[in-house]
Amino acid sequence: MKISVIAGNPKGKSRTLDAAILAAGKLGGQAPATIVDVIDLGSSLLEFGNPKVAASIESIRQSDAAIFASPTFKGSYSGILKLYLDQIGPDGLKGMLAFPLMLGASPYHAMAPDLLLKPVLVELGAICLAPGLYLLDKTYSEDPRLDAWVERTKSTIMKT
């Protein structure tokens, strides 16, 4: 399965990006097909129809699935990820498997991927078969919830 990673963190090469790449590798058994570190798109995110942004969106559409990752800001996903998602047209993710992933400092926001990020992905036409993944930003790489999520998600995908 070709999986893309889209990380919407205001800091480039962030832990959010690293966690999404780690999850994609474990889920798909290989490196992500496409990696979009949204901050690298800079001010082009403010220009609807920007060719650079459009090309990155088209590249993720070539995948079977995508992990959309964000740090938790004020209990929600980042504004920079929102700017990117706003560039994706209606049904722009139609038929694509999408997995929301969020990192945060506190376990109190554990429902944020499902309550806040997943509805936007579904609105764009994505299919979200599995629960979102929330990891603590300081322990994400060794958190056993990551492997449990991968196994549960693989099982869910195989059933469909």
Side-chain angles (χ1 to χ4, degrees), residues 10-26:
K11 178 182 175 192
K13 297 177 184 29
S14 63
R15 289 180 285 195
T16 305
L17 175 63
D18 189 53
I21 291 170
L22 182 62
K26 288 180 178 251

Side-chain angles (χ1 to χ4, degrees), residues 1-153:
M1 176 183 343
K2 287 175 31 180
I3 301 175
S4 286
V5 164
I6 301 87
N9 192 312
K11 178 182 175 192
K13 297 177 184 29
S14 63
R15 289 180 285 195
T16 305
L17 175 63
D18 189 53
I21 291 170
L22 182 62
K26 288 180 178 251
L27 185 60
Q30 59 189 0
T34 301
I35 297 172
V36 178
D37 197 355
V38 177
I39 194 66
D40 291 343
L41 295 169
S43 63
S44 60
L45 289 167
L46 300 172
E47 182 185 331
F48 279 94
N50 180 282
K52 188 175 174 182
V53 177
S56 75
I57 292 168
E58 187 54 37
S59 71
I60 66 170
R61 285 189 182 131
Q62 303 307 310
S63 297
D64 303 308
I67 294 177
F68 290 85
S70 173
T72 304
F73 283 132
K74 309 290 186 203
S76 188
Y77 57 92
S78 69
I80 196 152
L81 182 58
K82 176 70 166 116
L83 284 171
Y84 187 78
L85 294 173
D86 284 348
Q87 295 265 357
I88 300 173
D91 287 331
L93 299 178
K94 186 174 183 174
M96 173 177 273
L97 291 176
F99 306 103
L101 182 154
M102 292 177 70
L103 260 60
S106 166
Y108 296 121
H109 299 292
M111 293 299 296
D114 287 314
L115 294 175
L116 303 167
L117 187 49
K118 186 183 284 187
V120 176
L121 299 174
V122 170
E123 180 68 22
L124 294 172
I127 301 166
C128 296
L129 295 174
L133 177 60
Y134 182 85
L135 298 169
L136 296 177
D137 57 7
K138 299 227 184 319
T139 59
Y140 70 90
S141 62
E142 66 266 357
D143 192 325
R145 288 178 291 188
L146 174 57
D147 289 331
W149 177 84
V150 167
E151 290 309 311
R152 181 178 182 183
T153 302

